[in-house]
Amino acid sequence: MKIFERKNIIVQQPEIFEGEYVLDVEDLKIRYETDDAVVYAVNGIDLKLKRKQTLGLVGETGAGKTSTVLALLKLIPTPPGVVEAKKILVNGKDVMTLSDKELQHIRGNEIAMVFQDPMTSLDPVYTVGEQIAESYMIHDKLSKKEALEEAKKMLEIVGIPAERSTDFPYQFSGGMKQRVVIAIALACRPNILIADEPTTALDVTIQSQVLDLMKKLNEQYQTSTIMITHDLGIVAETCDEVAVMYAGQIVEKGTLEDVFENTKHPYTEGLFNSLPNMNDRNSKLNPIKGLIPDPTIVFAGCPFAERCRYAKEKCFKQKPTVKHLSESHQVKCLRYDEVDFKIERALK
Amino acid sequence: MKKNHKKAKNKSLIWRQFKKNKGAVIGLIVFCIIVVIAIVSVIVFDFDADITAVKAADRLLPPSKEHWFGTDNLGRDVFARVCYGAQYSLLIGVVSVIISVVFGSLVGAFAAFVGGWIETIIMRLIELLLMIPGILLVIMIVYTFGASIPNLMLALGLSTVPHFARNARASVLTVRNNEYIEASRALGASELSILFKHVLPNAISPILVQATSRISGCIISAAGYSFLGLGVPSPLPEWGAMLSDGRPFIYNYPYLEIFPGLAIMITVLAINQIGDGLRDALDPKLKR
């Protein structure tokens, strides 16, 4: 009978934070100082995330998406990284001021991360069960045996038979590995889950399975999620809010409808226009001209001005400010000072 | 039960690879025989009666039924002494390598994992040790603390610490930037537990291979130092010391040199073969 009792250990739900925003970041700046140059990865970002909401962070490679979320966990390597912010509140606690011990308590317990490539984010020398068990041993202080039991339950939850918990990562396929990674991240029921391009390394069918799974688990555990991706389709499918990043800044932010149906920023427009047209398969792709700017350059004006077809002289000289178009929708573009300015997004 | 089965499966992968190398398997068999000989000879031979007792009547007898390897200038049976000497060589080889592996790889791994100026300082200090020739280090230690087996082990161990530190550092550097290290940091694991639970186990195979081949190096060095009188003191039948004892008689009684010399050669060859096999088996790039 004793054995049965042990099996039914309920993992403690970390105390649910009562404030409105589980995540509240103000004026986050990250730069990497190397011997040759200073790389400005993130230049003043505000982020707010409500409970149970999913925020999509969209942007090109090098826009500063990953740096932003790593800063939330205070995992930016310093040096060379330098992180500055007015505040980074995770569940009301400012990670900038926490000690290493407190940070280790928060990581995995209150805020967890799913990494991009499931092939490399599992340790090859441990069984998957042991790797899931690790977070129970760290945070819930379970014994190894209890932790392994919990790990098996977690594997079942992500749709992998419990008896495979004694297998090593190389015995799993890519999609299953990503399920394991998700199981590890959700093991201690974090309030915030960060998914850094969780499906980039997977093929489309597995991709939708993994996304469905994440969505289901988020509802079940009431987790708030930050979803990093460059796939606008994934955003449309999974996110409540969207933030579009360009050159270390959030250029447009709003609810899914705001950004997708009522696009305001020329860069977001460019992203949508560059999608392949499903109705006319012979049509040419319509990419944004030019490349993402060199992150070592500090711009006097708008960093997108060079590639922007609406850019005027003032765009090169004057820093754009945030315009609130509605309660939820904001855009960072100078042209909206003009009352009658409109972009001409081609709706397909 | 199931778990054991699975674990065995993973290990058998290495074993299967190891088995493909005929030389390595033969080396392993020979090495096992030598270990058995070392253990049995301690039980069978009496140290005072068979190994060190001087028997003037039996001086310098050629190999015969009675004395398989002949007798030396003090009438001691060379076969008994060669067998009995195996334990010294093995012990010195293994213990001195353990000293340098534990110390060297911990220091090297720590340096690489921490990085920055701490790494620079630790590695420069280690390289300072590398600057002193091995034989000089041994002479220093043996002259300060006296010629004995533990001192020889310490000296040999210390002189190879830098090699292990550098090797461990190199392999930790390749491991520490892997995503699973970052992932367990994001999980809230402490730096020290990451180093011991994730970094070292993944960096261990090059260290293991180097350790195996260093054992044979240490056995040769130990024999060499004993030959020079710096190692195992004379009445003990260490192979190098036996070579040294037999040197004046090499012209007329070559078997005094041949048998201990052969013993050294066979042991070193066997261990080197095992090292080669391990290297092939543990190298992920060669894994089929």
Side-chain angles (χ1 to χ4, degrees):
Chain A
M1 214 47 218
K2 264 258 156 77
I3 301 165
F4 264 92
E5 277 168 25
R6 293 204 123 205
K7 270 190 180 170
N8 288 323
I9 292 160
I10 295 158
V11 174
Q12 289 172 1
Q13 178 93 24
E15 36 190 301
I16 290 185
F17 175 63
E18 292 301 333
E20 188 182 0
Y21 298 108
V22 285
L23 189 71
D24 191 352
V25 180
E26 206 177 310
D27 200 22
L28 173 65
K29 286 178 186 157
I30 303 167
R31 59 177 188 273
Y32 297 98
E33 293 176 346
T34 63
D35 291 341
D36 307 321
V38 180
V39 176
Y40 296 92
V42 177
N43 307 308
I45 271 189
D46 298 337
L47 270 184
K48 280 185 170 138
L49 184 60
K50 284 185 193 155
R51 205 148 4 106
K52 289 189 259 177
Q53 293 267 298
T54 300
L55 169 73
L57 214 50
V58 197
E60 282 169 83
T61 305
K65 307 181 299 277
T66 304
S67 286
T68 305
V69 294
L70 284 179
L72 303 182
L73 288 153
K74 212 180 177 193
L75 277 177
I76 300 273
T78 46
V82 180
V83 181
E84 286 168 356
K86 285 212 180 101
K87 58 179 179 185
I88 305 176
L89 299 184
V90 172
N91 286 341
K93 284 170 239 163
D94 194 341
V95 284
M96 298 287 283
T97 60
L98 293 179
S99 70
D100 281 357
K101 258 254 147 65
E102 289 167 312
L103 278 171
Q104 281 163 15
H105 177 74
I106 283 189
R107 290 177 192 150
N109 211 15
E110 295 182 20
I111 180 166
M113 188 154 173
V114 173
F115 283 83
Q116 179 172 354
D117 189 352
M119 309 298 163
T120 57
S121 46
L122 291 173
D123 190 331
V125 301
Y126 292 104
T127 65
V128 295
E130 284 169 326
Q131 293 188 56
I132 301 173
E134 193 184 351
S135 43
Y136 290 118
M137 279 148 70
I138 294 170
H139 293 299
D140 294 327
K141 306 277 180 261
L142 298 186
S143 73
K144 185 157 190 183
K145 211 172 156 196
E146 294 163 347
L148 283 172
E149 282 304 315
E150 287 296 325
K152 279 183 189 166
K153 282 187 208 161
M154 201 64 219
L155 268 183
E156 292 274 0
I157 290 172
V158 296
I160 296 174
E163 63 261 28
R164 296 212 59 189
S165 71
T166 51
D167 282 355
F168 287 88
Y170 75 93
Q171 290 161 313
F172 286 82
S173 72
M176 289 178 96
K177 274 188 209 169
Q178 193 62 303
R179 284 163 186 269
V180 172
V181 174
I182 290 169
I184 293 174
L186 290 177
C188 285
R189 316 275 193 269
N191 295 10
I192 305 169
L193 179 70
I194 296 168
D196 186 358
E197 301 184 25
T199 55
T200 306
L202 307 175
D203 66 56
V204 207
T205 40
I206 307 297
Q207 191 169 315
S208 76
Q209 284 175 21
V210 168
L211 288 175
D212 286 346
L213 173 74
M214 285 183 68
K215 215 170 172 178
K216 199 185 92 196
L217 293 178
N218 284 348
E219 276 161 27
Q220 200 172 330
Y221 297 147
Q222 313 207 330
T223 316
S224 317
T225 311
I226 297 180
M227 175 80 74
I228 297 181
T229 178
H230 3 241
D231 190 332
L232 290 166
I234 292 178
V235 175
E237 213 178 293
T238 57
C239 298
D240 306 307
E241 281 182 82
V242 188
V244 182
M245 281 189 79
Y246 185 79
Q249 301 182 11
I250 292 180
V251 292
E252 184 168 2
K253 190 167 78 180
T255 62
L256 193 62
E257 291 77 36
D258 286 339
V259 177
F260 273 59
E261 307 296 335
N262 194 12
T263 310
K264 289 296 179 200
H265 198 278
Y267 177 64
T268 321
E269 178 202 26
L271 284 183
F272 283 113
N273 283 346
S274 59
L275 289 177
N277 189 343
M278 295 303 271
N279 300 324
D280 181 8
R281 285 170 181 263
N282 295 324
S283 67
K284 275 194 175 172
L285 285 177
N286 186 13
I288 309 172
K289 290 194 174 58
L291 289 170
I292 197 157
D294 183 347
T296 58
I297 299 169
V298 183
F299 287 91
C302 173
F304 187 60
E306 274 173 46
R307 303 168 72 184
C308 180
R309 57 190 177 127
Y310 305 104
K312 286 201 164 168
E313 213 176 302
K314 63 174 179 184
C315 292
F316 291 94
K317 289 177 184 159
Q318 205 181 327
K319 277 208 161 72
T321 48
V322 176
K323 303 265 172 319
H324 292 270
L325 303 167
S326 69
E327 205 178 302
S328 57
H329 199 181
Q330 61 185 61
V331 65
K332 210 172 185 182
C333 178
L334 276 177
R335 293 293 311 268
Y336 283 95
D337 287 345
E338 299 158 34
V339 184
D340 54 351
F341 176 68
K342 267 202 180 79
I343 55 165
E344 9 179 300
R345 180 185 158 199
L347 280 171
K348 288 162 198 166
Chain B
M1 272 315 280
K2 193 141 206 179
K3 189 176 169 123
N4 290 338
H5 165 71
K6 284 277 166 59
K7 284 242 167 177
K9 218 162 94 185
N10 195 41
K11 267 179 201 143
S12 80
L13 215 74
I14 295 170
W15 174 237
R16 233 185 5 241
Q17 202 65 31
F18 187 84
K19 265 199 309 199
K20 277 188 197 156
N21 190 334
K22 288 269 161 9
V25 175
I26 294 170
L28 189 65
I29 293 169
V30 171
F31 182 75
C32 289
I33 292 171
I34 295 169
V35 171
V36 170
I37 288 175
I39 294 168
V40 169
S41 64
V42 177
I43 302 164
V44 171
F45 298 117
D46 182 64
F47 182 74
D48 291 325
D50 300 320
I51 309 299
T52 53
V54 177
K55 295 177 194 116
D58 296 340
R59 288 183 72 230
L60 295 169
L61 294 175
S64 64
K65 249 190 195 163
E66 206 95 320
H67 305 285
W68 290 359
F69 292 176
T71 58
D72 68 3
N73 58 320
L74 297 175
R76 299 173 295 198
D77 184 58
V78 176
F79 177 73
R81 284 173 66 81
V82 167
C83 290
Y84 203 83
Q87 57 175 304
Y88 297 112
S89 287
L90 293 179
L91 217 62
I92 289 169
V94 171
V95 173
S96 56
V97 164
I98 287 175
I99 292 173
S100 47
V101 165
V102 170
F103 194 65
S105 40
L106 277 185
V107 168
F110 177 77
F113 191 61
V114 174
W117 59 271
I118 299 176
E119 179 188 7
T120 313
I121 289 178
I122 292 178
M123 291 321 289
R124 287 326 131 232
L125 282 177
I126 287 287
E127 274 153 23
L128 215 63
L129 200 60
L130 195 66
M131 212 177 63
I132 308 168
I135 186 158
L136 216 62
L137 197 71
V138 174
I139 291 174
M140 263 159 54
I141 289 176
V142 167
Y143 267 65
T144 327
F145 301 112
S148 72
I149 295 175
N151 288 346
L152 184 64
M153 289 170 176
L154 186 72
L156 283 172
L158 275 185
S159 65
T160 42
V161 159
H163 302 278
F164 279 101
R166 287 162 61 95
N167 195 356
R169 173 177 169 269
S171 46
V172 165
L173 279 181
T174 63
V175 172
R176 76 158 184 196
N177 288 331
N178 273 324
E179 216 166 37
Y180 53 81
I181 304 294
E182 185 86 356
S184 61
R185 204 167 278 144
L187 211 69
S190 69
E191 293 296 306
L192 214 62
S193 85
I194 292 175
L195 175 60
F196 281 103
K197 283 182 74 177
H198 296 288
V199 176
L200 273 179
N202 279 290
I204 203 78
S205 51
I207 300 171
L208 209 66
V209 170
Q210 194 194 15
T212 321
S213 31
R214 270 313 301 175
I215 290 179
S216 59
C218 281
I219 288 176
I220 288 194
S221 301
Y225 293 134
S226 300
F227 184 81
L228 295 175
L230 292 170
V232 181
S234 184
L236 298 183
E238 205 275 340
W239 294 334
M242 287 175 72
L243 286 178
S244 179
D245 291 345
R247 199 173 41 94
F249 312 97
I250 187 167
Y251 191 71
N252 291 321
Y253 308 98
Y255 55 84
L256 289 184
E257 302 290 271
I258 289 171
F259 292 112
L262 269 179
I264 295 173
M265 197 190 81
I266 291 169
T267 311
V268 168
L269 207 60
I271 294 172
N272 277 348
Q273 288 300 321
I274 297 172
D276 277 0
L278 264 187
R279 192 195 55 216
D280 293 348
L282 291 175
D283 189 350
K285 277 170 227 126
L286 293 174
K287 211 173 256 177
R288 276 289 80 100

